[in-house]
């Protein structure tokens, strides 16, 4: 994309225009209908601005660039001088050429005569790859006020480095409870920033309690908050008494890279008492025994594991070398919907955010345009192809000085899994932008992206498929699903808080949308979608079952005879079974190669069940937690959930019944059934000892594939026997 750049550096020897002989100069750069203005200085004849202006070549409707130096005045600004440039004479600059050196230009008055004063300028034609582009004033954003200019520029952000903190609370000694007439019920409460965890109440109700319990926290570098441990005694229903505290700065805590245990430490507990209205610290002999470490061998999950963009451990020493480079070109969007109203008409100020690994990028905001063109390119190192890049499009709510409560509205997002991309191929494709609202799913436009994954080593990339997905500490000392969910939520909060404190901020609502912060919340729509995904996976097995049933019922006699022949060959030559299976899978894979996907997949409304979702289900999905809906709606939803849970409960009960029937075959719960089964097992063992296995397999196969004329419509004898076995359901209340 071509731009005309004007760098206004400084001026000298400007004449005084007011009574005191001074002037308040500023520069106005004008090109057709577009006008950029520098800041003005009070009483300064040799001002320095060093500001850059960029005019989009697509929108240029003039042949002359006009640069005016004016004196700021209360009534009307006075012209000090001007410089004119013919656009056909302006030089082109193509990086990596060095920047164009600015030159002094003598100012002229309106008649073209020489005026007093000189202006230092550099004027050139360039592209958005120019170093001056990010900091320049843009003609596209001419209506943006000076306070909001920072919020429309492109930026690169880095997520903070996250660590897990493991606190192993072992025991405490010599506690001093205030009430010595009762057995203390002691627990330890740990606080780190806004995270608070506590151990269970110690089973040994003495002044030397034991716990040996792990507490896990998430923390980001630089470590701002210390870890605060307090030993507390449960003296009443809701009343806890602090027996002692200790504060541990995290920068002194040991960093662990593997599963080897860290050294434990005894720490003194301190207690605060109030004497004469002042808080005084008293030290006494109470101690607490701990193991604390910063876990460098884990990957701190701040995204869902299903579409994570980074799987490396925290400690840099454990990183493997990169396997390639990902290049993303954010080209344009078209058909965007108006996201807000300004001066009585709809408008959209769109920008993109992309996240991969720890690096976030934000494009510049294109102001008031439903077909924005960014043409910006970014690169990332790739360490694992089984990762996902997320690109989101947002409407900037702070361009026109949005109030403190203004939010950047979602326009849509796209996820692209790197493993679905062929190496060294450029994918240029438009992706639909879809957003789910309480009123239903809406297509808010399309975004055009260019992607290329360049592989540096094919062997290393293929070898990655044999490695575990997460670092080895996740398998040696696994964290529970509940723990991971809580820690992921804490990590998201830390990342969104840190990025919202950057300048310009990457706002909290943007980060939370990109990280899918509410993906764990209950949704009837998502539950239905997941159920039908399971049915889609099982549909292959169901189709095979139906096909086999047709073979058994001789629907197509020729096919059934061929299956008989194949079966007899495999029984007579069992060593051919596995090669036949693998050859069949190979042929299916080669056959499906013709219909392989040509483009990365995009958000699918049908798969998500978003296009057929009931309005009440969507309203429930967008409800806050805890709920903010009226009691009658909550009661209706609760009853609906109970009816669904009742069906799930019945299915789970049926599965348990079938499993218990298998157990009762040998449990003698039904002595006659177990006698029959044990006798059958003895006879079967004797028969199979003397009969070759191939004969047994041949007879069993021919029996299963027998003609319908030799079949009964009643259930088979083994099935009747199994259904008569007892289960424990009759013992349930």
């Amino acid at each position: 994309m071509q731009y005309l750049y004007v760098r206004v550096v400084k001026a000298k020897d400007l004449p005084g225009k007011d009574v005191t002989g001074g002037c308040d100069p500023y520069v106005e750069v004008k090109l057709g209908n577009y006008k950029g203005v520098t800041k003005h200085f009070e009483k300064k004849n040799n001002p320095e601005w060093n500001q850059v202006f960029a005019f989009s070549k697509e929108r240029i409707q003039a042949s002359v660039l006009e640069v005016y130096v004016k004196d700021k005045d209360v009534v009307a600004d006075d012209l000090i001088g001007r410089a004119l440039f013919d656009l056909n004479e302006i030089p082109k600059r193509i990086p990596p050429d060095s920047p164009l050196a600015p030159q002094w230009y003598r100012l002229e008055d309106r008649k073209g005569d020489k005026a007093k004063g000189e202006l230092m300028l550099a004027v050139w034609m360039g592209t958005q790859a120019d170093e001056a582009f990010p900091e320049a004033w843009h003609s596209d954003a001419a209506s943006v006020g000076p306070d909001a200019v920072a919020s429309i520029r492109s930026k690169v952000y880095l997520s903070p480095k996250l660590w897990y903190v493991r606190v192993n609370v072992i025991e405490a000694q010599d506690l001093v409870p205030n009430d010595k007439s009762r057995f203390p019920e002691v627990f330890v409460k740990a606080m780190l920033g806004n995270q608070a965890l506590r151990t269970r109440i110690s089973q040994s109700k003495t002044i030397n309690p034991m716990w040996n319990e792990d507490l896990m926290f998430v923390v980001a570098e630089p470590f701002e908050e210390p870890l605060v441990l307090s030993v507390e005694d449960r003296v009443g229903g809701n009343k806890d008494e602090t027996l002692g505290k200790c504060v541990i700065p995290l920068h002194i805590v040991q960093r662990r890279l593997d599963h080897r245990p860290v050294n434990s430490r005894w720490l003194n507990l301190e207690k605060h008492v109030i004497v004469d209205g002042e808080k005084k610290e008293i030290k006494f002999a109470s101690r607490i025994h701990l193991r604390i470490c910063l876990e460098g061998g884990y990957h701190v999950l701040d995204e869902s594991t299903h579409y994570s963009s980074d799987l490396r451990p925290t400690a840099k020493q454990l990183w493997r070398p990169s396997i390639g480079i990902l290049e993303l070109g954010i080209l344009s969007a078209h058909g965007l919907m108006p996201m807000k109203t300004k001066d009585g008409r709809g408008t959209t100020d769109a920008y993109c955010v992309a996240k991969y690994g720890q690096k976030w990028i934000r494009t510049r905001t294109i102001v008031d345009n439903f077909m924005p063109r960014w043409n910006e390119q970014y690169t990332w190192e790739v360490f694992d192809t089984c990762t996902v890049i997320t690109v989101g499009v947002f409407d900037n709510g702070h361009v026109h000085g949005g109030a403190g409560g203004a939010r950047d509205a979602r326009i849509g997002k796209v996820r692209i899994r790197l493993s679905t991309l062929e190496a060294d191929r450029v994918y240029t494709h438009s992706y639909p932008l879809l957003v789910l609202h309480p009123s239903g799913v809406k297509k808010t436009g399309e975004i055009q992206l260019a992607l290329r994954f360049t592989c540096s080593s094919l062997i290393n990339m293929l070898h990655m498929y044999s490695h575990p997905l997460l670092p080895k500490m996740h398998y040696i000392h696994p964290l529970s699903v509940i723990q991971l969910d809580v820690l992921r939520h804490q990590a998201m909060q830390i990342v969104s808080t840190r990025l919202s404190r950057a300048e310009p901020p990457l706002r909290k609502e943007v980060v939370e949308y990109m990280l899918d912060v509410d993906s764990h919340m209950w949704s009837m729509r998502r539950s239905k979608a997941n159920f039908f995904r399971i049915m889609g996976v099982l549909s292959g097995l169901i189709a095979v079952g139906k096909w086999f049933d047709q073979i058994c019922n001789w629907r197509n006699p020729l096919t059934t005879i061929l299956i008989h022949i194949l079966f007899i060959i495999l029984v007579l030559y069992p060593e051919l079974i596995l090669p036949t299976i693998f050859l069949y899978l190979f042929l299916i894979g080669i056959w499906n190669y013709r219909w392989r996907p040509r483009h990365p997949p995009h958000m699918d409304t049908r798969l998500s069940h978003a296009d057929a979702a009931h309005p009440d289900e969507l309203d429930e999905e967008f409800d806050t937690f805890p709920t903010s809906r009226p009691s009658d709606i909550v009661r209706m939803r609760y009853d609906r959930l109970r009816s669904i849970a009742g069906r799930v409960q019945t299915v789970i009960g049926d599965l348990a019944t079938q499993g218990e029937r298998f157990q009762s075959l040998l449990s003698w719960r039904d002595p006659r059934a177990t006698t029959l089964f044990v006798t059958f097992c003895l006879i079967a063992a004797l028969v199979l000892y003397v009969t070759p296995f191939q004969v047994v397999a041949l007879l069993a196969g021919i029996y299963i594939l027998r003609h319908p004329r030799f079949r009964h419509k009643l259930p088979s004898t083994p099935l009747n026997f199994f259904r008569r076995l007892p289960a424990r359901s009759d013992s349930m209340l």
Side-chain angles (χ1 to χ4, degrees):
M1 294 172 70
Q2 297 287 320
Y3 284 87
L4 168 64
Y5 289 96
V6 181
R7 181 184 291 278
V8 180
V9 184
K10 57 186 175 180
K12 66 179 181 180
D13 303 330
L14 296 180
K17 286 287 181 180
D18 54 21
V19 181
T20 59
C23 68
D24 306 329
Y26 70 91
V27 175
E28 181 181 290
V29 182
K30 192 175 179 187
L31 184 62
N33 296 327
Y34 294 108
K35 183 173 69 175
V37 180
T38 67
K39 59 189 176 187
H40 83 277
F41 289 98
E42 298 279 348
K43 304 287 185 284
K44 201 165 188 182
N45 295 69
N46 299 303
E48 285 193 27
W49 293 282
N50 202 22
Q51 279 183 252
V52 182
F53 299 85
F55 298 88
S56 174
K57 189 178 179 182
E58 287 182 350
R59 300 191 180 186
I60 292 177
Q61 297 175 347
S63 58
V64 176
L65 171 70
E66 303 165 83
V67 182
Y68 296 97
V69 182
K70 294 186 176 182
D71 175 41
K72 189 90 172 166
D73 210 340
V74 179
V75 182
D77 298 345
D78 299 321
L79 177 68
I80 297 174
R82 69 177 183 178
L84 304 178
F85 298 86
D86 188 339
L87 294 191
N88 296 321
E89 303 297 323
I90 291 175
K92 280 189 178 179
R93 178 188 172 235
I94 303 171
D97 290 356
S98 298
L100 203 67
Q103 299 179 36
W104 287 105
Y105 292 91
R106 171 73 69 180
L107 296 178
E108 303 173 348
D109 60 17
R110 289 195 186 278
K111 297 176 181 176
D113 299 331
K114 287 185 179 180
K116 192 179 179 187
E118 290 182 81
L119 180 64
M120 184 181 271
L121 292 173
V123 183
W124 72 96
M125 278 287 186
T127 67
Q128 80 269 27
D130 204 293
E131 309 89 51
F133 182 81
E135 301 302 322
W137 172 96
H138 292 275
S139 59
D140 295 343
S143 61
V144 179
D147 298 335
V149 166
S151 73
I152 66 169
R153 287 182 175 148
S154 55
K155 285 287 176 185
V156 175
Y157 303 84
L158 289 176
S159 288
K161 188 175 183 181
L162 299 174
W163 294 80
Y164 284 145
V165 182
R166 188 187 294 273
V167 183
N168 178 225
V169 184
I170 304 169
E171 59 181 329
Q173 276 187 359
D174 304 327
L175 298 179
V176 185
N178 289 345
D179 185 0
K180 296 181 173 58
S181 63
R182 51 179 284 280
F183 293 110
E185 297 183 8
V186 184
F187 63 91
V188 175
K189 187 163 78 175
M191 294 195 68
L192 186 58
N194 61 352
Q195 305 170 68
L197 295 173
R198 44 163 288 179
T199 66
R200 66 186 187 281
I201 292 174
S202 173
Q203 300 296 315
S204 54
K205 298 187 176 179
T206 64
I207 59 169
N208 300 315
M210 296 188 70
W211 295 278
N212 198 20
E213 198 170 327
D214 275 359
L215 305 176
M216 296 287 289
F217 297 91
V218 182
V219 68
E221 288 186 0
F223 305 132
E224 297 173 346
E225 303 278 350
L227 175 68
V228 180
L229 295 173
S230 63
V231 181
E232 305 199 0
D233 182 13
R234 175 64 52 83
V235 294
N238 292 316
K239 190 179 178 187
D240 301 325
E241 184 182 276
T242 302
L243 303 181
K245 278 189 178 183
C246 67
V247 178
I248 305 161
L250 290 179
H251 64 269
I252 65 168
V253 172
Q254 183 178 343
R255 302 184 179 200
R256 181 169 82 160
L257 304 182
D258 52 28
H259 60 282
R260 282 177 287 195
V262 296
N263 297 325
S264 61
R265 300 165 59 191
W266 284 97
L267 297 173
N268 291 328
L269 293 170
E270 300 169 354
K271 194 172 183 180
H272 297 284
V273 294
I274 295 174
V275 180
D276 299 330
E278 291 185 5
K279 187 184 277 189
K280 291 195 174 179
E281 190 179 284
I282 58 167
K283 293 186 179 180
F284 50 100
S286 296
R287 301 189 302 166
I288 188 168
H289 193 194
L290 303 167
R291 254 189 213 96
I292 308 178
C293 65
L294 290 160
E295 295 279 16
Y298 289 90
H299 169 67
V300 180
L301 292 163
D302 60 347
E303 306 163 285
S304 170
T305 48
H306 298 299
Y307 30 82
S308 186
S309 66
D310 188 15
L311 300 166
R312 292 170 294 169
T314 299
K316 207 166 184 177
Q317 303 94 300
L318 302 177
W319 290 5
R320 293 191 178 96
S322 67
I323 59 170
I325 296 289
L326 174 66
E327 295 166 279
L328 170 69
I330 301 175
L331 304 181
S332 61
H334 52 272
L336 296 186
M337 303 285 286
M339 303 302 293
K340 56 180 179 280
T341 55
K342 184 196 172 195
D343 301 329
R345 62 181 183 86
T347 181
T348 297
D349 306 318
Y351 68 93
C352 291
V353 174
K355 186 219 186 283
Y356 184 77
Q358 294 181 334
K359 178 177 167 183
W360 300 67
I361 66 93
R362 168 184 175 150
T363 67
R364 69 190 189 281
T365 301
I366 306 294
V367 179
D368 193 13
N369 198 327
F370 297 129
M371 301 182 70
R373 292 182 63 207
W374 294 283
N375 281 39
E376 296 186 24
Q377 183 176 330
Y378 300 92
T379 58
W380 286 266
E381 276 191 300
V382 176
F383 294 87
D384 195 332
T385 54
C386 299
T387 46
V388 174
I389 182 170
T390 306
V391 182
V393 186
F394 300 87
D395 174 60
N396 195 328
H398 301 78
V399 168
H400 305 291
R407 293 169 65 87
D408 290 358
R410 309 168 177 178
I411 296 176
K413 70 179 170 188
V414 176
R415 292 193 205 100
I416 300 170
R417 185 171 290 276
L418 269 61
S419 58
T420 63
L421 305 176
E422 295 176 21
D424 301 314
R425 177 183 162 188
V426 178
Y427 291 84
T428 305
H429 190 56
S430 286
Y431 300 84
L433 297 170
L434 303 166
V435 176
L436 196 64
H437 292 286
S439 56
V441 68
K442 289 182 181 176
K443 183 180 177 182
T444 51
E446 290 190 3
I447 182 170
Q448 188 174 31
L449 303 175
L451 257 105
R452 179 170 64 186
F453 168 57
T454 308
C455 173
S456 55
S457 169
L458 181 63
I459 300 296
N460 287 348
M461 182 175 71
L462 296 177
H463 185 53
M464 284 298 299
Y465 282 87
S466 66
H467 291 162
L469 200 61
L470 292 166
K472 65 180 182 180
M473 280 295 286
H474 285 268
Y475 306 98
I476 297 170
H477 282 304
L479 302 171
S480 70
V481 175
I482 296 172
Q483 258 186 322
L484 281 173
D485 202 41
V486 172
L487 291 170
R488 173 177 167 253
H489 183 72
Q490 293 293 345
M492 284 178 175
Q493 295 300 321
I494 291 171
V495 170
S496 62
T497 303
R498 285 285 178 93
L499 292 178
S500 66
R501 281 161 43 187
E503 191 56 48
L506 195 59
R507 303 198 177 273
K508 194 177 175 72
E509 63 270 17
V510 172
V511 177
E512 289 181 350
Y513 180 58
M514 296 287 287
L515 294 179
D516 275 314
V517 74
D518 55 353
S519 62
H520 64 290
M521 299 296 286
W522 160 257
S523 162
M524 180 73 79
R525 173 193 61 82
R526 212 177 280 134
S527 302
K528 283 182 184 175
N530 287 335
F531 172 76
F532 283 105
R533 283 173 63 203
I534 292 171
M535 295 307 296
V537 170
L538 297 177
S539 63
L541 295 174
I542 295 167
V544 170
K546 287 179 178 177
W547 172 80
F548 187 71
D549 184 61
Q550 290 175 357
I551 296 294
C552 292
N553 287 299
W554 292 67
R555 293 281 171 84
N556 188 335
L558 181 61
T559 308
T560 305
I561 290 167
L562 290 173
I563 292 295
H564 273 82
I565 295 167
L566 178 64
F567 174 70
I568 291 166
I569 293 170
L570 292 177
V571 168
L572 294 176
Y573 302 99
E575 65 274 11
L576 296 177
I577 293 173
L578 286 176
T580 303
I581 291 171
F582 284 113
L583 180 63
Y584 181 63
L585 294 174
F586 167 77
L587 292 173
I588 290 174
I590 294 298
W591 181 259
N592 288 341
Y593 181 76
R594 296 164 60 193
W595 294 283
R596 68 192 185 278
R598 302 290 179 178
H599 297 287
H602 52 74
M603 299 292 184
D604 191 334
T605 54
R606 185 169 294 177
L607 178 70
S608 310
H609 269 252
D611 51 355
H614 192 275
D616 183 64
E617 293 174 5
L618 292 174
D619 183 65
E620 181 181 23
E621 186 171 339
F622 281 89
D623 191 7
T624 55
F625 190 86
T627 182
S628 58
R629 299 296 184 264
S631 58
D632 54 336
I633 293 177
V634 175
R635 189 180 296 113
M636 180 271 289
R637 289 175 181 168
Y638 175 61
D639 290 340
R640 180 177 64 195
L641 201 57
R642 284 174 68 192
S643 67
I644 295 168
R647 290 178 217 161
V648 174
Q649 174 183 288
T650 304
V651 172
I652 292 171
D654 288 344
L655 291 173
T657 297
Q658 307 308 324
E660 287 167 357
R661 281 176 177 161
F662 270 109
Q663 289 179 337
S664 63
L665 284 171
L666 295 170
S667 69
W668 296 93
R669 191 147 181 243
D670 182 341
R672 284 168 294 279
T674 305
T675 303
L676 286 170
F677 183 69
V678 169
T679 307
F680 168 77
C681 290
L682 177 62
I683 295 167
L686 294 172
V687 170
L688 292 171
Y689 267 121
V690 298
T691 311
F693 177 75
Q694 287 173 315
V695 174
V696 175
L698 197 64
L699 293 172
I702 291 171
Y703 175 77
I704 291 168
L705 295 169
R706 68 193 185 279
H707 196 274
R709 188 177 294 173
F710 305 108
R711 293 178 186 275
H712 297 290
K713 290 190 176 179
L714 297 176
S716 63
T717 301
L719 192 58
N720 291 333
F721 177 77
F722 182 75
R723 284 176 177 169
R724 287 175 175 275
L725 292 171
R728 301 180 69 186
S729 53
D730 47 356
S731 301
M732 287 186 65
L733 288 172

